Each structure stands twice: as structure tokens, then as C-alpha cells.
Amino acid sequence: MDLLTFEKENQDRIQAVENSFSTAGRPLSKPGRFLMGEGRLMKQGRRKPQPKDFYLFNDLLVYGSIILNGRWHKNQKIIPLEDIQLEDMEDGVTMTNQWLLRTPSKSFFVSASSFKEKQAWMNHIEECRLNLLRENRRQPGLVFASSWIPDQATYKCMRCLGGFTGTKRRHHCRSCGFVVCNTCSKQRAVISHIHPTKKLRVCRLCYINNEKEEGGVPRPRGNSICQKSSEEDSDNDEEGVKGEQSFTQSNWLDSRLGTWGRRSSCDFPTAMHPDEPLTT
């Protein structure tokens, strides 16, 4: 395939992804950006796993909730590859072929349809990430958010051990990810790698530890103990359309030929440059 044809097809594919999020999504087209792979995976939400469509670019990982079997998407999430850290995980109770995807603002478990698909996604993401760091001299992320423990993993508060009821609801500490009750998580604190200014819900122990690290005495400051905040327990990732297919087989770009297809996890995407010639 010649370079002009490849660039046109790549641009059309990126534009199709961008259009699927409608005007609510951020623009994705950019010179030198290539769509490397796409597929449907399961993402662990706070209550249950949900199918999400994932798109791997040479510099970003994008995913979103599915509408009309993937023709449309919502809740677009964009993660720079330099901010990603992957950790292989054993099969869990609700998800198999899973791994942990860490980012500074949010960390979560992702599951593929098979071990082969899992390896393909992990290898392709890591290969693109390393290429990006090497060629653009970017620095990898060093601080990552804790993954949230799913609601169904515990029937009692992980701090006071009191049982949850219809009125004693589950909440998540944004610092440690534990499932806690409201009494044990009244404090609010700024967690800079999640949000630079917003005070987020934290459990009592994380609040005390944070105060100790700052060299102060644990005490309420300003709005550190407050009513329900704007971030309170909202999780748009839980939204989904019933009946959507959990997985689809992933498609990967063969950067040497400039073609798309369903390939094995052994064929990694190589670095792409706007002026790099394509072989036929």
C-alpha cells in the first residue's frame, strides 16, 4: 500500500472513531497519530463489569460506553500512553483473562475474551508506550491511583467492619480504594494526581496518614468534612445498554503493510512516522 492511501485510510478510521462520540467527545485527529488497534473489552465498574469499546493509538488509549452496538459511543475517556502502567492479574471471580490498567487519576481491571486476546492487548499497549517514550523523550508516570474494590467484594465496611444495609450505603475511599461506610469516610482531601484542587472522599485512616505525611496535626481544614461533593459516588462507567455483546475480536494494524486484520499477539505494531515509507 502506498503512503497516501495508507494516510487516507488511517484518517478515515480515526474520523469514524471521533464521529462515534458525536460532539460530546474530544477531537482525535492529529498529524502523526495512528490508530493501531480496536476491540471490545470488559471493564470492571464499582458494581459489575461493563463492555467498553477500546481504541489504541500510537500515543493514546481511548474507550467509551457503547450505544447501538458500537455505532455510537458516550463517556469518552482519553489516557495518554505515558501515563499508563499495566499489571498482569490472575483470573478473578467475575472476570477472567484480566489485567490491571493503572493511571494517575483512575486504575481499573480490564478483561478480554481469551488469554490470546489479553496478551495481544497488553503487548500492543506496552509496545506503543515504549515507542512513545523512546522517540518523543517523554517521561513515564510515577504515581498511580488505587483501583477500587468492587461493591460486591464485601458486605461490611472495610474500616469499622459494620455491615452495609439499605440505609448504610457503600462508598469508596479515593486514596486506598477500600469500600467504606459514610461515617468512616466523612473527610475530604486533595489527591493531586487525581485532581489538583478538588477535595475527594477519603477514609479516616488515609486522611490521618495524609496529615502525618504533610507534617501537621490531623484536623478539619476548610471544607475537609463536608456534605456530598460534586464528585460524590458518580460513576458514569456503570451506564450501559443492556444486551450489548461482551466482547468482539480485536483488529490490529500491520504497520509494515499498512493493512488491518485480526492477527496474533506475536505481531506487534512497529513505530510509525508521517514520513516513513510503507512496504508492499
Side-chain angles (χ1 to χ4, degrees):
M1 180 184 295
D2 63 85
L3 180 60
L4 291 178
T5 302
F6 168 77
E7 289 182 338
K8 178 63 167 59
E9 290 190 0
N10 176 69
Q11 182 59 38
D12 289 345
R13 287 181 177 274
I14 294 178
Q15 192 63 52
V17 177
E18 184 178 311
N19 292 343
S20 73
F21 287 97
S22 188
T23 56
R26 289 168 53 188
L28 297 173
S29 298
K30 175 184 175 182
R33 177 169 290 162
F34 300 90
L35 180 58
M36 310 300 287
E38 58 185 15
R40 186 165 299 173
L41 303 171
M42 296 295 289
K43 175 185 174 294
Q44 177 65 61
R46 62 170 297 174
R47 296 183 180 86
K48 61 181 180 180
Q50 290 281 349
K52 307 287 180 182
D53 280 346
F54 281 76
Y55 300 93
L56 176 63
F57 297 84
N58 59 329
D59 61 338
L60 300 173
L61 182 65
V62 177
Y63 69 92
S65 302
I66 304 161
I67 306 175
L68 296 178
N69 199 31
R71 293 178 59 188
W72 298 97
H73 299 94
K74 62 180 179 178
N75 301 332
Q76 182 195 62
K77 307 295 182 184
I78 300 178
I79 309 172
L81 290 186
E82 65 267 25
D83 289 343
I84 288 178
Q85 183 185 75
L86 303 180
E87 181 179 348
D88 195 3
M89 305 294 294
E90 296 182 354
D91 289 349
V93 176
T94 58
M95 297 201 306
T96 59
N97 305 306
Q98 66 175 343
W99 67 97
L100 179 60
L101 197 155
R102 300 182 189 273
T103 78
S105 61
K106 190 173 186 177
S107 299
F108 51 89
F109 295 94
V110 184
S111 171
S113 60
S114 65
F115 179 77
K116 183 177 180 180
E117 283 278 287
K118 167 186 172 179
Q119 289 297 106
W121 273 97
M122 292 188 69
N123 289 332
H124 282 85
I125 291 173
E126 186 64 13
E127 185 77 3
C128 289
R129 190 184 74 88
L130 292 176
N131 284 338
L132 182 69
L133 294 175
R134 180 174 58 251
E135 295 165 12
N136 294 276
R137 297 182 180 179
R138 299 188 186 182
Q139 295 298 316
L142 299 176
V143 181
F144 302 96
S146 298
S147 57
W148 286 15
I149 295 175
D151 282 2
Q152 70 272 20
T154 181
Y155 62 91
K156 57 186 178 182
C157 174
M158 300 178 74
R159 289 306 182 200
C160 71
L161 304 183
F164 294 116
T165 66
T167 55
K168 188 174 183 177
R169 297 176 54 241
R170 292 170 170 83
H171 302 276
H172 280 87
C173 171
R174 271 54 175 179
S175 181
C176 66
F178 276 24
V179 183
V180 291
C181 67
N182 183 61
T183 302
C184 290
S185 59
K186 288 182 177 294
Q187 288 78 12
R188 301 292 186 271
V190 174
I191 306 174
S192 58
H193 58 87
I194 297 180
H195 195 283
T197 59
K198 185 183 294 184
K199 291 182 180 291
L200 306 176
R201 178 186 290 268
V202 294
C203 69
R204 188 180 304 160
L205 180 60
C206 286
Y207 179 74
I208 293 174
N209 289 338
N210 180 66
E211 292 287 341
K212 288 180 179 179
E213 290 176 1
E214 292 181 354
V217 178
R219 64 190 186 278
R221 294 181 302 177
N223 198 32
S224 60
I225 297 181
C226 60
Q227 298 298 317
K228 195 168 184 178
S229 65
S230 59
E231 55 81 31
E232 184 61 23
D233 293 327
S234 62
D235 192 350
N236 291 332
D237 290 338
E238 291 300 312
E239 298 178 7
V241 179
K242 293 183 179 180
E244 291 293 352
Q245 186 177 352
S246 297
F247 299 102
T248 60
Q249 190 167 3
S250 304
N251 292 312
W252 301 105
L253 170 67
D254 186 335
S255 56
R256 291 165 295 185
L257 300 178
T259 58
W260 277 74
R262 296 171 178 173
R263 304 187 292 115
S264 72
S265 60
C266 298
D267 301 322
F268 305 139
T270 58
M272 297 293 296
H273 305 277
D275 56 352
E276 178 181 332
L278 294 173
T279 58
T280 56

